[in-house]
Amino acid sequence: MWMYILITTGAFLLMELVAWCTHKYLMHGLLWHLHRDHHKKTEGRFFEKNDYFFLIFAIPGMLLFLIGTLGQHWVLFSIAAGITLYGFTYFVVHDIFIHQRFNLFRNTHNVYLLALRRAHKMHHKHIDKEDGECFGMLFFPFRYIREAYKARKQPA
């Protein structure tokens, strides 16, 4: 049982690296035509072409769940669980918390969350595919933690 929990956790953590590489080299490269509208918003549209990446990332997880369940390959099932948990985390952190696609989790005083939001904002300051920074979601340069901590300590 512990082995499957470790595999799920490892797959979740590995997905941050996969997401970083995919974001930097595919979304800001070959697949920029799908990701562009995430950086250059079209007013009044809830869905973006960028939302297709949800399906692109979900398909491997679904296939691993299917193969893992039908063939009773619990390692594959655990990997699928890690991928899916990362996808759910991405939705909550990126779409709800950072971009406020739903009016939830607006205010926080948590240093990590403030730093995460700032790092993502720095990513979006580049509206073209070149010269980007902070391509990950959960991990980012430590300087954002220091900045958030200093900003939180200053009186309002």
Side-chain angles (χ1 to χ4, degrees):
M1 175 61 136
W2 285 105
M3 179 179 76
Y4 299 121
I5 292 171
L6 287 173
I7 291 169
T8 300
T9 304
F12 177 92
L13 293 172
L14 188 60
M15 280 304 297
E16 177 72 0
L17 177 63
V18 170
W20 187 94
C21 290
T22 303
H23 190 181
K24 181 169 176 69
Y25 297 111
L26 289 177
M27 292 177 176
H28 282 256
L30 182 67
L31 298 176
W32 175 248
H33 65 282
L34 292 177
H35 188 60
R36 178 187 299 121
D37 67 348
H38 185 63
H39 285 264
K40 297 178 182 180
K41 294 284 184 208
T42 304
E43 289 298 317
R45 293 187 60 200
F46 183 77
F47 290 106
E48 306 169 344
K49 288 181 188 173
N50 186 67
D51 292 328
Y52 285 118
F53 287 108
F54 165 78
L55 291 173
I56 293 168
F57 282 112
I59 289 170
M62 290 187 293
L63 289 173
L64 288 171
F65 268 132
L66 182 66
I67 296 166
T69 302
L70 294 177
Q72 295 185 350
H73 300 290
W74 304 117
V75 169
L76 297 180
F77 185 91
S78 298
I79 293 169
I83 293 170
T84 303
L85 286 171
Y86 186 86
F88 177 74
T89 303
Y90 180 89
F91 174 71
V92 171
V93 170
H94 182 264
D95 290 346
I96 296 177
F97 176 69
I98 293 173
H99 286 291
Q100 291 292 303
R101 288 178 88 168
F102 302 98
N103 291 325
L104 300 169
F105 313 124
R106 282 191 175 266
N107 301 318
T108 184
H109 299 288
N110 179 281
V111 170
Y112 171 79
L113 293 176
L114 291 170
L116 178 115
R117 190 179 267 163
R118 178 73 176 150
H120 197 79
K121 186 174 187 168
M122 294 309 293
H123 174 75
H124 276 272
K125 83 175 186 177
H126 304 282
I127 59 172
D128 293 316
K129 70 180 190 175
E130 291 85 17
D131 302 322
E133 58 184 290
C134 299
F135 291 96
M137 178 183 64
L138 300 175
F139 301 113
F140 44 81
F142 191 74
R143 72 177 186 268
Y144 294 107
I145 295 282
R146 285 193 302 268
E147 290 172 12
Y149 185 72
K150 284 181 192 174
R152 195 178 79 162
K153 287 182 81 175
Q154 292 176 354

